Amino acid sequence: ADFNYGADEYDAEGNEEPKALPEGSETMPYIDESPTMSPQLSARGQESGDGVSPTPTDGLGTGGERDAGKGLEMRKLVLSGFLASEEIYINQLEALLLPMKPLKATATTSQPVLTLQQIETIFYKIQDIYEIHKEFYDSLCPKVQQWDSNVTMGHLFQKLASQLGVYKAFVDNYKIALETAEKCSQSNYQFQKISEELKVKGPKDSKESHTSVTMEALLYKPIDRVTRSTLVLHDLLKHTPADHPDYPLLQDALRISQNFLSSINEDIDPRRTAVTTPKGETRQLIKDGFLVELSEGSRKLRHVFLFTDVLLCAKLKKTAVGKHQQYDCKWYVPLADLVFPSPEESEHCPQVHVIPDHELEDMKMKISAIKSEVQKEKANKGQSRAIERLKKKMFENEFWLLLNSPAIPFRIHNRNGKSYLFLLSSDYERSEWREAIQKLQKKDLQAFVLSSVELQVLTGSCFKLRTVHNIPVTSNKDDDESPGLYGFLHVIVHSAKGFKQSANLYCTLEVDSFGYFVSKAKTRVFRDTTEPQWNEEFEIELEGSQSLRILCYEKCYDKTKLNKDNNEIVDKIMGKGQIQLDPQAVQTKNWHMDVIEMNGIKVEFSMKFTSRDMSLKRTPSKKQTGVFGVKISVVTKRERSKVPYIVRQCIEEVEKRGIEEVGIYRISGVATDIQALKAVFDANNKDILVMLSDMDINAIAGTLKLYFRELPEPLLTDRLYPAFMEGIALSDPAAKENCMMHLLRSLPDPNLITFLFLLEHLKRVAEKEPINKMSLHNLATVFGPTLLRPSEGESKGHLTLASDIWSHDVMAQVQVLLYYLQHPPISFTELKRNTLYFSTDV
């Protein structure tokens, strides 16, 4: 079935997130086939007497240095991690089997707890699964304990995969087993007691001898296990040379496992259908576009049409292939009856459910990764079907983003009683709609009611008249259209003139990314003036951007107008304007001065653009006296400190007065303030503390980021960078845990102590997320590349699209930091003492 990416093919109704997230269906829990990025782990250090533990090596080599003596033995790490989790799994199966014998014994007595039939149903195939895994564990364990690089174990995995038929039987029976266990629990108190607390033996060397787990949780473990085994096969193959005797066997085992997974997931194929939206009559169509409507608590993408005397909200009807597309009118309001409720009137309106930033950022990362894959497929002359499949996935993800990112309310009220609520991502667009409606309302308008025939004619004409045909997602762009700019736009907002009377004035800057505009920066309020002089510089990250918008506001200090809904912008827009970001004109090293005229107001600004390649360069300082651009080991030695003074001071100041600041570390500080702080720290000026206490907190946060960004080599080092990238890509949690802890242990002491110090600070910042809106994920997005991005000599020399390298590397860099941020506290001494961390999370 062909997938059409036009607006004529989206589902704007019902369960409309085309992000086809698998849900546990009626038939069977969904099994995830994709390698996980970074599951939260409950980690526990293990003493180093474990025979399974690989001995960490001193240095981590890259490239050809992968033999056991030098490189991190990834195969061994993966296997030892898997073995530890296999032991836990076997203990869980044992715990499940433990009550089976006594239950069977009572079944034939006069007072049975369960019938033989019920026992057979609940414990179906558990004994067989236990025996298969016990045999696998007993064969694999000695191979890992007496490890050498020639060990072969592919045949064991191949045998394990060949026995998946037992799992198929288990899976088919799973739902019935659960239902039976549930019914028996309700009708039999004895069985309820047994099934609520099954004792699972702890791993050999863990401190906990037993943990209590419910039967329901244990019955799910085999389903979970198939996914785990498949992930481990992924990891093993990745780190097994193609000429190794294990390679074809592991390949075969992976193929069988993946086929098995997809066969049992077929029941849960969330098939999506798609549709579009409406337009005008002899009435003129003035404006149309896509808006997200909040209707009955859920977000719907609507096509909204503004005619000379009516606002009509519609969606495209689903029609059979080949049939003429039609719009379906959801509602209309004659402009004579249309009013915009004031903020105080809006207080009783439903609160807008805002999607957390980190979920939106996650989705952007996914989209960037798919874009890279599409580029690669095209470069390698890949199959058009594979490209189509990727594009479809990208469309679904971008659609989800389009639907879930807007949060600025735009309320429409019909005098006759009904109110409607749209959500926009840009105040610029909200004011465009409002102004267009208000302009039409100046004419002499009549109130009216459309007859059903008139309404039919009006909605019928929408399809022909519409000016916006496609949902604004990049999947709808033609290949030859400009992909937009990726990098950093530096903007200085100088001043504005042309105001009729004094006011408290500020500007905001919006840029488009992922198909919609979003506010990226805001100047301070210049009070009581007709000629504000801001002279503030901002660094704005561009993600495929093509336009810059500037909005000029008058600040509202009237308490009665301030709305409780924190996304409601009550300040008055004095003017707004936009310019195209022309890649040729913008990409110069010099500042480019410009003026935007709006409503008789002129705003002066300068801008220059740095591509990602340029902005990511680390340049070592020529002088070794300061702290910026100087190796961290040199600075800590000179200061006789464990953590550089600049890091300690900035963190202390942020914790003192910036921890509740909305967007701390995400919002740019004023560039001139950051440069001033940099100079003071470099000169080791005695006025540092006074200056810090007076400085805007965003400038202090910006100085800390700049310090890490300008280190001549990243805090997590160039040498370990490839290993961090490999470690985070491991899918098996236990192997990942081993690897990621081993990598920290391999860092030089000043780097490790500073990293752990920063890590604890960022966790404290994230604890205030309800107030400062900075989640662990947001902080990882801000700091990941800063702490990991390799220095110039280490980064790849090839010039693929900056956006490609960026999205893949940055995603992984963010995930590395996020992994450590989500990890239970890591102490320096524990880390140095323990040779191996193990996850007990199976």
Side-chain angles (χ1 to χ4, degrees):
D2 289 335
F3 193 90
N4 171 352
Y5 302 102
D8 303 346
E9 276 276 333
Y10 73 90
D11 176 9
E13 264 303 341
N15 48 356
E16 79 188 311
E17 300 83 20
K19 181 68 212 76
L21 294 172
E23 291 164 11
S25 86
E26 272 308 292
T27 358
M28 239 295 296
Y30 183 87
I31 295 185
D32 185 8
E33 295 171 61
S34 60
T36 47
M37 274 311 271
S38 98
Q40 221 161 322
L41 296 178
S42 65
R44 184 173 292 115
Q46 287 208 334
E47 297 308 319
S48 51
D50 187 355
V52 173
S53 313
T55 317
T57 50
D58 294 337
L60 293 181
T62 57
E65 305 175 345
R66 291 258 172 95
D67 52 274
K70 287 191 185 159
L72 176 65
E73 254 297 8
M74 294 301 252
R75 264 165 69 84
K76 187 180 174 194
L77 272 177
V78 171
L79 283 169
S80 55
F82 184 56
L83 209 51
S85 67
E86 189 72 3
E87 182 196 344
I88 292 166
Y89 179 50
I90 290 167
N91 290 346
Q92 289 166 335
L93 292 171
E94 245 175 12
L96 205 47
L97 288 170
L98 204 62
M100 194 171 81
K101 280 180 187 156
L103 283 171
K104 273 187 174 170
T106 66
T108 49
T109 65
S110 58
Q111 287 187 312
V113 179
L114 301 182
T115 66
L116 281 170
Q117 179 61 51
Q118 286 168 332
I119 295 166
E120 179 60 32
T121 305
I122 293 170
F123 298 95
Y124 186 64
K125 295 293 178 192
I126 302 287
Q127 184 71 43
D128 298 3
I129 292 174
Y130 170 76
E131 282 162 13
I132 290 167
H133 281 270
K134 186 82 176 83
E135 184 190 344
F136 172 76
Y137 179 85
D138 292 343
S139 313
L140 185 61
C141 198
K143 286 179 179 290
V144 178
Q145 283 174 343
Q146 287 122 42
W147 182 260
D148 71 59
S149 51
N150 301 319
V151 159
T152 60
M153 42 64 208
H155 58 289
L156 298 177
F157 278 93
Q158 195 183 29
K159 185 176 178 187
L160 189 65
S162 70
Q163 294 167 309
L164 280 171
V166 177
Y167 274 91
K168 176 79 177 113
F170 174 85
V171 165
D172 289 344
N173 180 70
Y174 172 76
K175 191 172 176 231
I176 273 188
L178 268 193
E179 283 171 0
T180 310
E182 179 63 25
K183 277 181 195 154
C184 294
S185 279
Q186 287 167 359
S187 59
N188 188 303
Y189 179 67
Q190 246 178 310
F191 181 66
Q192 187 187 354
K193 292 282 286 183
I194 295 168
S195 61
E196 273 174 4
E197 276 201 24
L198 291 168
K199 295 273 183 280
V200 178
K201 213 163 51 185
K204 282 198 287 283
D205 24 317
S206 92
K207 297 189 178 69
E208 290 178 28
S209 56
H210 285 85
T211 50
S212 291
V213 187
T214 66
M215 184 174 286
E216 185 183 355
L218 289 180
L219 281 172
Y220 185 71
K221 294 296 176 188
I223 287 171
D224 211 23
R225 196 66 197 168
V226 188
T227 312
R228 169 64 73 89
S229 308
T230 313
L231 297 178
V232 167
L233 285 166
H234 257 287
D235 292 341
L236 278 176
L237 261 176
K238 207 187 303 177
H239 300 290
T240 302
D243 55 359
H244 193 286
D246 272 347
Y247 195 82
L249 301 174
L250 291 171
Q251 239 178 349
D252 192 45
L254 181 61
R255 181 184 54 76
I256 298 169
S257 304
Q258 282 177 328
N259 287 344
F260 173 74
L261 277 182
S262 47
S263 74
I264 60 175
N265 277 340
E266 262 167 17
D267 306 336
I268 315 143
D269 179 12
R271 290 181 177 76
R272 291 280 168 185
T273 48
V275 197
T276 306
T277 34
K279 225 166 176 177
E281 178 207 325
T282 50
R283 293 184 160 103
Q284 231 184 319
L285 178 74
I286 308 299
K287 179 177 173 62
D288 71 303
F290 289 98
L291 295 180
V292 172
E293 185 188 8
L294 197 64
S295 163
E296 293 167 4
S298 67
R299 292 167 179 253
K300 308 282 162 90
L301 190 64
R302 304 290 192 214
H303 201 148
V304 181
F305 296 87
L306 175 62
F307 293 100
T308 336
D309 62 348
V310 63
L311 184 76
L312 185 139
C313 172
K315 76 175 196 85
L316 247 178
K317 280 202 279 202
K318 294 178 188 175
T319 51
V321 181
K323 285 274 179 73
H324 178 60
Q325 287 283 341
Q326 279 293 330
Y327 278 105
D328 185 13
C329 173
K330 301 308 291 178
W331 51 263
Y332 69 90
V333 181
L335 297 190
D337 293 330
L338 189 152
V339 284
F340 299 112
S342 63
E344 48 274 27
E345 289 171 309
S346 305
E347 281 190 9
H348 311 297
C349 294
Q351 282 297 302
V352 179
H353 170 63
V354 179
I355 304 289
D357 272 357
H358 69 86
E359 284 185 35
L360 300 174
E361 289 304 323
D362 265 348
M363 188 55 82
K364 288 179 187 175
M365 291 286 189
K366 279 184 194 164
I367 294 166
S368 298
I370 298 172
K371 277 184 188 166
S372 301
E373 283 182 58
V374 171
Q375 296 294 346
K376 272 196 204 123
E377 284 286 344
K378 283 181 180 168
N380 301 336
K381 302 279 185 287
Q383 292 181 338
S384 59
R385 280 185 66 183
I387 293 174
E388 276 307 298
R389 201 166 55 245
L390 286 168
K391 279 192 169 177
K392 177 178 174 182
K393 188 81 190 145
M394 185 156 87
F395 176 82
E396 290 172 351
N397 288 348
E398 288 193 308
F399 186 97
W400 183 91
L401 199 57
L402 200 65
L403 205 59
N404 288 292
S405 51
I408 300 171
F410 176 41
R411 304 177 198 275
I412 302 279
H413 182 65
N414 185 332
R415 280 185 223 280
N416 302 324
K418 191 101 166 75
S419 287
Y420 305 96
L421 170 58
F422 291 112
L423 297 174
L424 283 73
S425 58
S426 147
D427 199 26
Y428 192 101
E429 271 152 48
R430 181 171 73 159
S431 75
E432 277 186 328
W433 278 99
R434 190 177 275 157
E435 283 164 19
I437 291 168
Q438 286 168 338
K439 191 174 170 187
L440 291 168
Q441 286 180 325
K442 286 181 181 155
K443 298 174 187 163
D444 184 24
L445 296 170
Q446 303 295 309
F448 57 84
V449 176
L450 293 171
S451 71
S452 57
V453 176
E454 284 175 312
L455 187 57
Q456 212 175 338
V457 172
L458 187 57
T459 34
S461 64
C462 288
F463 191 77
K464 298 192 290 289
L465 291 173
R466 61 190 180 157
T467 62
V468 181
H469 294 82
N470 290 333
I471 302 172
V473 293
T474 50
S475 343
N476 285 331
K477 277 189 184 172
D478 295 331
D479 289 348
D480 52 3
E481 276 188 69
S482 159
L485 293 170
Y486 287 86
F488 294 91
L489 186 68
H490 298 262
V491 181
I492 301 175
V493 182
H494 297 294
S495 59
K497 47 179 175 283
F499 296 97
K500 305 268 191 300
Q501 57 199 62
S502 288
N504 303 311
L505 303 163
Y506 70 93
C507 283
T508 64
L509 306 178
E510 291 185 354
V511 294
D512 56 323
S513 63
F514 297 93
Y516 59 90
F517 277 84
V518 61
S519 183
K520 287 281 193 176
K522 180 178 177 180
T523 67
R524 65 185 186 278
V525 178
F526 213 98
R527 292 198 158 205
D528 201 20
T529 179
T530 54
E531 292 198 3
Q533 302 280 329
W534 293 290
N535 294 317
E536 284 185 72
E537 183 183 335
F538 301 96
E539 181 184 79
I540 296 172
E541 190 172 356
L542 303 183
E543 295 165 299
S545 310
Q546 293 175 319
S547 307
L548 168 72
R549 290 170 168 176
I550 297 187
L551 294 96
C552 193
Y553 290 90
E554 179 181 354
K555 180 76 183 162
C556 165
Y557 289 108
D558 180 347
K559 289 280 187 291
T560 60
K561 287 188 181 161
L562 292 177
N563 190 268
K564 290 180 180 132
D565 181 345
N566 60 4
N567 284 305
E568 185 77 74
I569 299 163
V570 293
D571 298 339
K572 182 181 170 193
I573 295 182
M574 304 298 286
K576 62 184 195 311
Q578 98 173 27
I579 53 160
Q580 289 302 106
L581 297 173
D582 174 10
Q584 273 64 47
V586 177
Q587 294 195 34
T588 59
K589 289 207 171 112
N590 306 322
W591 287 94
H592 163 70
M593 182 97 167
D594 213 334
V595 173
I596 284 187
E597 293 205 32
M598 38 173 104
N599 269 359
I601 299 163
K602 289 182 180 177
V603 175
E604 279 193 4
F605 65 99
S606 302
M607 60 182 178
K608 69 175 180 182
F609 171 76
T610 344
S611 70
R612 281 198 195 282
D613 316 342
M614 293 303 295
S615 61
L616 299 184
K617 279 186 178 169
R618 292 181 185 272
T619 43
S621 170
K622 301 277 188 290
K623 55 183 189 6
Q624 288 295 302
T625 51
V627 290
F628 281 82
V630 179
K631 283 184 176 173
I632 195 164
S633 54
V634 173
V635 172
T636 49
K637 196 171 176 185
R638 188 200 311 139
E639 293 177 354
R640 296 196 179 128
S641 62
K642 289 183 174 176
V643 174
Y645 178 69
I646 180 171
V647 176
R648 284 177 288 140
Q649 286 310 124
C650 290
I651 284 178
E652 188 180 316
E653 202 60 36
V654 169
E655 294 203 354
K656 200 187 294 176
R657 60 192 177 92
I659 205 149
E660 295 189 349
E661 182 80 14
V662 174
I664 187 73
Y665 290 120
R666 186 171 53 79
I667 287 175
S668 318
V670 176
T672 41
D673 290 349
I674 294 173
Q675 290 307 317
L677 277 170
K678 177 182 176 180
V680 173
F681 274 111
D682 266 344
N684 196 14
N685 191 310
K686 58 180 184 302
D687 299 331
I688 289 177
L689 292 178
V690 178
M691 196 165 167
L692 275 177
S693 59
D694 289 345
M695 193 62 84
D696 171 56
I697 200 67
N698 287 319
I700 293 168
T703 305
L704 181 66
K705 286 190 295 183
L706 185 69
Y707 168 72
F708 285 119
R709 197 155 76 209
E710 291 197 356
L711 282 175
E713 100 160 334
L715 187 65
L716 299 187
T717 73
D718 286 327
R719 182 175 65 97
L720 297 182
Y721 182 74
F724 275 112
M725 293 299 99
E726 285 191 331
I728 200 64
L730 289 172
S731 320
D732 180 53
K736 186 186 280 191
E737 169 82 357
N738 281 354
C739 179
M740 299 302 275
M741 292 304 133
H742 180 91
L743 284 165
L744 283 190
R745 209 172 296 118
S746 311
L747 284 169
D749 281 3
N751 299 56
L752 175 57
I753 296 169
T754 302
F755 178 64
L756 295 178
F757 187 74
L758 176 67
L759 208 57
E760 290 313 305
H761 164 63
L762 295 179
K763 287 182 182 181
R764 287 191 289 273
V765 171
E767 281 169 11
K768 300 283 185 186
E769 184 193 351
I771 305 167
N772 63 28
K773 307 283 185 271
M774 290 303 284
S775 61
L776 289 175
H777 195 292
N778 285 351
L779 292 163
T781 307
V782 171
F783 275 96
T786 306
L787 301 178
L788 276 131
R789 189 191 64 251
S791 50
E792 194 58 18
E794 296 296 319
S795 46
K796 309 169 188 67
H798 56 277
L799 283 166
T800 32
L801 273 178
S803 58
D804 289 1
I805 308 171
W806 174 79
S807 64
H808 262 295
D809 283 7
V810 166
M811 275 182 79
Q813 291 159 10
V814 169
Q815 290 297 336
V816 168
L817 180 54
L818 185 59
Y819 181 87
Y820 292 122
L821 284 170
Q822 290 176 336
H823 198 285
I826 305 164
S827 89
F828 179 77
T829 44
E830 275 289 300
L831 200 58
K832 289 292 187 184
R833 192 169 70 236
N834 285 333
T835 50
L836 245 179
Y837 270 63
F838 264 127
S839 158
T840 52
D841 189 7
V842 178

